[in-house]
Every structure is written in structure tokens, then in C-alpha cells.
């Protein structure tokens, strides 16, 4: 998992991005690993306790030859929930999923899997964010097609590595798991924006209520085993320090023994060597800076994707971020803030003028647009807490997560938008099946790394800007992948890798 392109190169002079000759060309006609369109792919699924199991269930047309996870006890509980639902009988698809799981060879270490099992054609990766790039790069080096859950990678540095690897071998089918990119709503948004009925778009606002209702952020790290326990104060002042101590005390009461069969060292991968705690696994990892990239990393791929694609955005030239407090403090944060706002500025390109994109999470909402009627809510009842709005000179367009349910105001503009003809091809199969078809040469890939990497980079730049300082405007050179006015912040475009996990 090493290359000629080092972290030192990236931080010191990112203009010299290069991967050398790390990619071995594959999938040439008749060559090793070539899959005829009529044949089934041999797929290995890595990280299948959560979203990965849903992805795997959409790939059952193929041969699931291997499954890899560091905690199969959790995987088996998840599968049991599908096979023994609280009400009714399991679906035929879940029954088939269970059979595929039983037949597949099991591994804990993806490196051993790739080394031992030579029949693998393609890899699906749905681990925590910090392991996406190490697994995907290792697979691509061996000429495997890759499907990687969003966000594509943990850092800007890693998105560039994956984009370079994909460009070096264009015959590989690469797909990020932002399924909204394949859905009707996103395609329709592209057509409406391209028609110009909303007028020039200079501003877009995007929001999600996550992490609210999903996972914790803004909390401190569990107390170390040898850390002194604060004395009990019979008359405490309930300030944030008291709250943090109460959270630490509650976490200290948890069993910190890794679940039977779990390989915590493999779970850590490139992350710092910290003790296991149930606050990290399962699922809650997303809020911890060691493993996840917060709400913008989780939902940005489903919500920023629409303006990024429809407006043809490139790299932002400046970013400003502010937030509620970091969990554990800004100097050595443990978790991301509970709520964040980010402003991205994009330069004019072609006939499109400059664009400002605003992000809000943690339940924060943008200002109410002037063209929205007073009696119309900004979010539809029953929505999942996320959405966006394009603000044009003639009209506005709201959308929900994945680009669903576009709504246009005023009514006169909505009537014109309804007449915009369908011009973009639709994806008529699932996002996963689109990847499978593309790997066989039967379809055009929906969200390849060439599209997914710069989109993910935008999301991750929001986090890097916040690490640079509250309300600090950082200027970004997308060609060099550097902050030009804040060299001290370039460290946040990558990470320090644990020994043996350098990329």
C-alpha cells in the first residue's frame, strides 16, 4: 500500500501529484481477469455489517465469492435481522443474500483476501471511511473493478490518489455509492438547470439534520484507563465541562472488551492506535475524526452532488467554515461539531458565472428564499431532514436527498420547467447493477471516480477549512491541491498514517 506519491510530496508540493507505475493494466481483451459480457463477475464484498449488506443484496446476480469483515458476529446479527424479521417472512432477496453469504469464503484482512483469492474480478467496499482508500487502491493495483461507498475517501490526498489510479486504468469500472446520482430526480434537475428557466444561478443552499437522530458528535473521547477520575461534586455547576465529565463517566461504565472475534487492530487500519470502545463501533464511528468525516462526508455526496453536477462546478477557490464546539476541544478534537456551516466559492466557467454554495448540518437551515410563498414549508412533511435549493434570477428549485422531488417556484416558472424535454439518459437499474453492467462493458458508469473524486474533495475541504479556524477564509488552488494563504492548514488535506498503513 505504498506508492511513489508520498504524503510528504502532497503536503510539500501537491502540484507534483504522481502515482508512478503503481497500477498494472488489466482487463485488456482476453487478458488476466477479463470478464466477457455474458459471464458473471466474481465479487468480493468488504465491510458488510451495515450499508455493505444492502449493497451486496443488489449484487446477487453475480457470484459473491468472498466476504471480508473485522467483526463477523455483528455481520451475522445484521443478517439474522433480515432473515428473521419481527413481522412476516423474509423476502426472497434476503433469503438469497443469506445463501450467498454462507457460500462465500470469509476473511478478516482484505490484504490476505486479495493475496489468496485470485478469482476475484471486482470489489465492493463499505467499511468506515478511513479504510476506503487503502482497500480500493490495493484492489485497483491488482486490476479489480471497485465500488466504494460514499464518501470516496477520508482526505483530499486520498481522493487524488484514487482519481489518479482510475485514470491510469480506464478499463476498470469505478463507482462511488452515491446512488442519487443514478436516480430520476438528479437527472431531471440537470435538465432543468441546463434549460435556463430559473435564470442564472449564483447561489445554492444545502442542508441536513445529521448527525441529529443518527450518531453522536460534539462529545469527548472516552477516558483513558489510567486517567484520574474527577471528584464527585455534590453541588456541580452544569457547564460544558460538567457535561463532558458526565459523558466520560457514562462511557467509562461500558465494557471495553472488543466483541468476541472482532479484530480491533484491523479495524483501526491507518487510524491512531487507540483502545476499543463501543462508542466507536458499530456505526457511531462516523462522528469520530479517527474514522469518519462527519455529516458533510456522510450526506454531502447525496446533497451537494446535484448542484455540483448540474452547474458543472470544479474546485472551489475559497472556503469559510464555522461550527459549534468540537468534541474534546479544537486543539485535539475527538469528534466533529454537532452543527457546521460552510461557504464555498466557485469561479465562473464558460457561460456560467461564479457560484456560492452554502452547507448546513446539525439541523441548521438556510435563510428562507424570497421567492418561496409564505405558506409553503421549506421541507416537505416526511422528508429525511436533508435538502437543497438553487436560487436563480427568475426562480428557485428545492430538492430532497438524492435529488428527489424537485419543487419550483414561482408557479409560472414551474410551468415552464414542466415543459423542459427529457434529454439525459436514465439509469434503469440499481446503482450497483449499473456498476456491474459497466464492468462487463454493457453500460456507461454513472458515478465514476473522475466525477466522484472532485465532488468528495469539495466535501472534505469543508472539514479542512473548519480545522484551519472558525470563520477563517482559506484560499484554495485546485491544481496544486493547496491552501495558498494558509500553509499551516495543508496538513488537514491528509492525515498521519499508522505505521504499515502509509499510502
Amino acid at each position: 500500500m505504498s506508492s511513489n506519491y508520498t504524503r510528504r510530496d502532497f503536503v510539500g508540493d501537491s502540484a507534483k501529484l504522481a502515482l508512478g507505475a503503481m497500477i498494472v493494466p488489466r482487463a485488456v481483451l482476453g487478458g488476466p481477469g477479463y470478464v466477457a459480457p455474458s459471464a458473471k463477475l466474481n465479487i468480493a464484498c468488504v465491510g458488510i455489517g451495515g450499508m455493505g449488506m444492502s449493497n451486496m443484496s443488489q449484487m446477487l446476480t453475480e457470484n459473491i465469492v468472498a466476504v471480508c469483515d473485522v467483526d463477523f458476529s455483528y455481520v451475522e446479527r445484521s443478517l439474522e435481522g433480515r432473515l428473521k424479521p419481527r413481522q412476516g417472512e423474509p423476502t426472497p432477496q434476503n433469503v438469497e443474500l443469506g445463501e450467498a453469504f454462507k457460500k462465500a469464503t470469509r476473511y478478516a484482512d482484505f490484504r490476505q483476501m486479495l493475496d489468496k483469492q485470485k478469482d476475484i474480478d471486482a470489489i465492493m467496499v463499505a467499511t468506515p471511511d478511513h479504510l476506503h482508500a487503502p482497500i480500493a487502491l490495493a484492489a485497483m493495483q491488482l486490476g479489480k473493478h471497485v465500488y466504494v461507498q460514499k464518501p470516496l475517501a477520508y482526505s483530499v490526498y486520498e481522493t487524488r490518489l484514487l482519481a489518479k489510479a482510475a485514470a491510469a486504468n480506464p478499463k476498470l469500472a469505478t463507482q462511488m455509492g452515491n446512488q442519487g446520482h443514478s436516480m430520476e430526480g438528479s437527472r431531471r434537475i440537470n435538465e432543468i438547470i441546463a434549460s435556463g428557466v430559473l435564470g442564472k444561478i449564483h447561489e445554492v443552499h444545502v442542508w441536513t439534520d445529521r448527525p441529529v437522530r443518527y450518531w453522536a458528535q460534539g462529545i469527548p473521547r472516552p477516558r483513558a484507563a489510567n486517567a484520574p477520575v474527577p471528584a464527585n461534586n455534590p453541588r456541580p455547576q452544569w457547564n460544558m465541562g460538567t457535561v463532558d465529565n458526565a459523558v466520560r463517566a457514562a462511557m467509562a461504565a461500558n465494557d471495553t472488551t472488543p466483541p468476541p472475534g472482532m479484530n480491533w487492530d484491523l479495524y483501526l487500519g491507518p487510524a491512531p492506535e487507540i483502545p476499543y470502545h463501543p462508542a466507536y463501533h458499530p456505526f457511531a464511528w462516523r462522528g469520530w475524526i479517527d474514522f469518519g468525516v462527519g455529516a458533510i462526508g456522510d450526506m454531502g455526496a447525496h446533497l451537494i452532488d446535484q448542484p455540483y453536477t448540474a452547474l458543472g462546478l470544479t474546485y472551489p477557490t475559497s472556503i469559510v467554515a464555522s461550527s459549534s464546539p468540537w468534541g474534546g476541544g479544537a486543539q485535539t478534537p475527538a469528534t466533529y461539531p454537532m452543527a457546521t456551516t460552510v461557504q464555498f466559492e466557485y469561479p465562473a466557467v464558460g457561460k456560467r458565472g461564479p457560484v456560492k454554495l452554502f452547507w448546513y448540518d446539525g439541523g441548521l437551515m438556510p435563510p428562507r428564499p424570497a421567492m418561496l410563498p409564505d405558506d409553503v414549508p421549506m421541507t416537505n412533511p416526511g422528508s429525511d431532514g436533508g435538502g437543497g435549493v438553487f436560487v436563480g434570477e427568475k426562480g428557485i428549485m428545492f430538492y430532497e436527498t438524492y435529488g428527489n422531488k424537485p419543487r419550483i417556484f414561482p408557479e409560472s416558472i414551474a410551468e415552464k420547467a414542466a415543459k423542459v424535454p427529457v434529454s439525459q439518459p436514465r439509469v434503469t437499474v440499481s446503482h450497483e447493477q449499473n456498476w456491474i453492467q459497466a464492468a462487463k462493458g454493457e453500460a456507461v458508469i454513472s458515478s465514476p471516480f473522475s466525477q466522484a473524486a472532485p465532488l468528495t474533495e469539495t466535501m472534505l475541504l469543508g472539514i479542512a477549512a473548519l480545522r484551519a479556524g472558525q470563520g477563517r477564509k482559506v484560499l484554495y488552488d485546485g491544481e496544486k491541491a493547496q491552501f495558498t494563504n494558509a500553509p499551516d492548514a495543508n496538513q488537514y488535506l491528509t492525515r498521519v498514517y499508522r505505521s504499515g498503513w502509509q499510502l
Side-chain angles (χ1 to χ4, degrees), residues 239-260:
N239 53 30
M240 284 308 301
T242 304
V243 171
D244 282 353
N245 284 332
V247 171
R248 288 192 180 97
M251 289 193 287
N254 294 155
D255 182 0
T256 57
T257 304

Side-chain angles (χ1 to χ4, degrees), residues 28 67 123 137 221 259 337 369 416 422 449 455 463 480 484 488:
V28 293
V67 289
I123 304 284
L137 280 171
R221 193 175 296 283
K416 292 181 180 180
V422 172
F449 287 3
L455 167 62
I463 294 174
K480 294 182 178 181
T484 57
D488 58 303

Side-chain angles (χ1 to χ4, degrees), residues 15 36 47 90 106 113 154 159 182 184 237 253 264 292 358-359 381 389 451 476 479 493 496:
R106 298 189 189 187
M113 180 187 72
Y154 177 87
T159 65
S182 293
E184 169 64 25
Q237 294 182 344
W264 179 243
F358 298 85
W359 169 265
V389 58
Q451 160 81 18
Y476 190 62
E479 293 300 316
L493 302 177
V496 176

Side-chain angles (χ1 to χ4, degrees), residues 26-27 35 41 121-123 139 143-147 171-173 435 439:
R26 179 244 192 211
V35 180
L41 291 176
D121 299 312
I123 304 284
K144 316 296 184 185
H145 305 287
V146 288
Y147 181 105
K171 292 183 179 180
L172 294 183
W435 170 64

Side-chain angles (χ1 to χ4, degrees), residues 210-240:
R210 299 192 190 197
V212 177
R213 299 186 292 117
Y214 291 92
W215 65 87
Q217 291 184 184
I219 61 174
R221 193 175 296 283
R223 186 182 298 131
N226 58 353
V229 178
N232 184 34
N233 186 347
R235 299 178 64 85
Q237 294 182 344
W238 279 94
N239 53 30
M240 284 308 301

Side-chain angles (χ1 to χ4, degrees), residues 127-329:
T127 62
D129 303 341
H130 70 302
L131 284 164
H132 286 185
I135 299 170
L137 280 171
M140 294 170 77
Q141 288 176 20
L142 296 174
K144 316 296 184 185
H145 305 287
V146 288
Y147 181 105
V148 181
Q149 257 306 330
K150 52 78 192 168
L152 185 61
Y154 177 87
S155 69
V156 169
Y157 167 69
E158 292 179 354
T159 65
R160 296 282 175 123
L161 281 178
L162 291 175
K164 286 284 186 180
N169 196 341
K171 292 183 179 180
L172 294 183
T174 61
Q175 180 105 300
M176 182 169 75
N178 56 326
Q179 62 267 35
H181 199 78
S182 293
M183 293 181 178
E184 169 64 25
S186 293
R187 303 293 166 121
R188 188 57 181 159
I189 286 172
N190 294 342
E191 292 164 345
I192 292 171
I193 294 299
S195 74
V197 296
L198 298 180
K200 290 185 178 180
I201 307 293
H202 297 304
E203 198 171 288
V204 185
H205 298 263
V206 184
W207 64 89
T208 180
D209 66 349
R210 299 192 190 197
V212 177
R213 299 186 292 117
Y214 291 92
W215 65 87
Q217 291 184 184
I219 61 174
R221 193 175 296 283
R223 186 182 298 131
N226 58 353
V229 178
N232 184 34
N233 186 347
R235 299 178 64 85
Q237 294 182 344
W238 279 94
N239 53 30
M240 284 308 301
T242 304
V243 171
D244 282 353
N245 284 332
V247 171
R248 288 192 180 97
M251 289 193 287
N254 294 155
D255 182 0
T256 57
T257 304
M262 182 187 188
N263 191 316
W264 179 243
D265 183 70
L266 288 177
Y267 183 97
L268 288 174
E273 193 163 338
I274 57 178
Y276 166 82
H277 194 281
Y280 304 132
H281 167 77
F283 186 69
W285 54 265
R286 197 176 292 281
W288 298 90
I289 66 167
D290 308 298
F291 312 119
V293 285
I296 193 170
D298 179 45
M299 296 304 292
H302 296 319
L303 289 161
I304 296 176
D305 180 30
Q306 289 72 30
Y308 196 90
T309 303
L311 296 172
L313 301 181
T314 54
Y315 296 118
T317 54
S318 72
I319 310 101
V320 180
S322 61
S323 72
S324 57
W326 289 85

Side-chain angles (χ1 to χ4, degrees), residues 314-388:
T314 54
Y315 296 118
T317 54
S318 72
I319 310 101
V320 180
S322 61
S323 72
S324 57
W326 289 85
Q331 297 304 312
T332 57
T335 56
Y336 295 99
M338 180 58 74
T340 302
T341 64
V342 187
Q343 175 184 314
F344 302 90
E345 291 186 335
Y346 293 90
V349 174
K351 296 181 179 180
R352 175 185 54 72
V355 174
K356 289 184 179 180
L357 173 67
F358 298 85
W359 169 265
Y360 313 80
D361 63 40
L364 300 178
M365 293 288 291
R368 187 179 176 88
M371 282 185 270
L372 182 65
D374 292 346
D375 59 344
V376 176
M378 288 183 65
T379 58
N380 282 326
S383 71
D384 72 348

